[in-house]
Amino acid sequence: EPEVTQTPSHQVTQMGQEVILRCVPISNHLYFYWYRQILGQKVEFLVSFYNNEISEKSEIFDDQFSVERPDGSNFTLKIRSTKLEDSAMYFCASSPMGLAGRINTGELFFGEGSRLTVL
Amino acid sequence: AQKVTQAQTEISVVEKEDVTLDCVYETRDTTYYLFWYKQPPSGELVFLIRRNSFDEQNEISGRYSWNFQKSTSSFNFTITASQVVDSAVYFCALNNGGSQGNLIFGKGTKLSVKP
């Protein structure tokens, strides 16, 4: 069964360092997303990506963050200069269509997450 | 403003009991979508259901059922005859019809089913 895969599963970094989290979405999906979950808190939307560009982003997704689909299979999230408060589980997701619309299920397929710890 | 409230932080039941997880939402949009996701101990988020604002018909899928009531802005989730494998954190989420990617999650309800 196709699945979204994320690497690394856990990364520890020093404050101020750059981090790249990688994701391989399901191959025929067109929409890609990053969400994060600070430990014990709710899951928060960061960004959605469609047709090689950001389609929507939240207030959390400031200039420190960027996303890229460099080679048609990987989807990456870069944090330029990490802060302590960036420590969280980062989830990548993909879907064949968007969340809304009558003809699709609106299901997002999530990966197992990458835990980022900033010291 | 859009918001999802899951007032129950943790619920503990004994196997075979029925359990209902509450979800109350706030939105000014007339078109919106409601979701339930399950997060088992392994950590991934597993889609359970999406409901459209224009369809209030309740849904049953095996031991799972969902009760959508626009009058009370609620979208509650019931597990009948719970099993240990149902132990997980369950998230209710909201999406407005104009967004293809932004899911607004509640804080989740941790369900523990004991044998």
Side-chain angles (χ1 to χ4, degrees):
Chain A
E1 186 174 324
E3 58 181 18
V4 175
T5 56
Q6 291 185 240
T7 54
S9 56
H10 188 192
Q11 181 157 356
V12 180
T13 190
Q14 295 292 323
M15 192 169 57
Q17 294 295 305
E18 177 182 283
V19 160
I20 297 177
L21 305 178
R22 292 183 167 80
C23 169
V24 179
I26 296 173
S27 62
N28 61 346
H29 286 184
L30 301 177
Y31 289 79
F32 313 108
Y33 315 85
W34 283 100
Y35 282 77
R36 79 172 185 190
Q37 184 180 28
I38 295 173
L39 186 62
Q41 299 189 26
K42 62 182 175 181
V43 180
E44 300 173 296
F45 170 74
L46 293 178
V47 65
S48 59
F49 192 86
Y50 170 71
N51 201 25
N52 285 319
E53 60 182 22
I54 291 174
S55 51
E56 191 173 353
K57 61 182 181 179
S58 71
E59 292 174 353
I60 302 168
F61 195 87
D62 60 21
D63 292 344
Q64 292 274 74
F65 293 89
S66 61
V67 289
E68 201 175 35
R69 191 157 156 79
D71 57 12
S73 61
N74 290 285
F75 179 51
T76 62
L77 174 69
K78 183 193 289 186
I79 309 174
R80 263 181 266 286
S81 178
T82 50
K83 297 177 277 199
L84 295 176
E85 54 264 37
D86 294 327
S87 294
M89 181 73 89
Y90 287 82
F91 289 102
C92 174
S94 69
S95 62
M97 303 173 77
L99 289 175
R102 288 177 181 256
I103 62 170
N104 53 320
T105 66
E107 177 176 359
L108 298 190
F109 294 78
F110 283 87
E112 292 192 348
S114 292
R115 180 167 296 285
L116 176 64
T117 301
V118 182
L119 303 177
Chain B
Q2 299 190 76
K3 187 179 172 182
V4 175
T5 301
Q6 295 180 256
Q8 304 149 309
T9 307
E10 289 193 45
I11 300 176
S12 182
V13 299
V14 176
E15 208 170 18
K16 297 185 184 176
E17 284 185 23
D18 299 347
V19 58
T20 295
L21 309 181
D22 297 333
C23 173
V24 173
Y25 63 92
E26 294 175 32
T27 181
R28 292 181 180 173
D29 296 301
T30 54
T31 299
Y32 54 89
Y33 300 83
L34 295 163
F35 299 75
W36 278 95
Y37 274 83
K38 174 181 179 179
Q39 188 176 40
S42 50
E44 75 276 21
L45 291 157
V46 179
F47 170 86
L48 296 178
I49 191 171
R50 182 189 79 165
R51 214 79 194 113
N52 308 327
S53 57
F54 38 85
D55 181 3
E56 280 193 77
Q57 190 173 12
N58 291 325
E59 182 145 346
I60 298 174
S61 175
R63 296 184 298 105
Y64 295 170
S65 62
W66 290 270
N67 184 355
F68 176 29
Q69 293 200 346
K70 287 176 81 169
S71 60
T72 55
S73 297
S74 64
F75 185 44
N76 296 337
F77 172 31
T78 298
I79 302 174
T80 303
S82 59
Q83 300 176 0
V84 172
V85 293
D86 295 327
S87 297
V89 180
Y90 290 87
F91 291 96
C92 181
L94 167 71
N95 166 258
N96 74 48
S99 166
Q100 290 293 352
N102 188 350
L103 268 178
I104 297 164
F105 282 83
K107 291 186 177 181
T109 297
K110 183 178 180 181
L111 174 65
S112 298
V113 182
K114 302 191 187 310

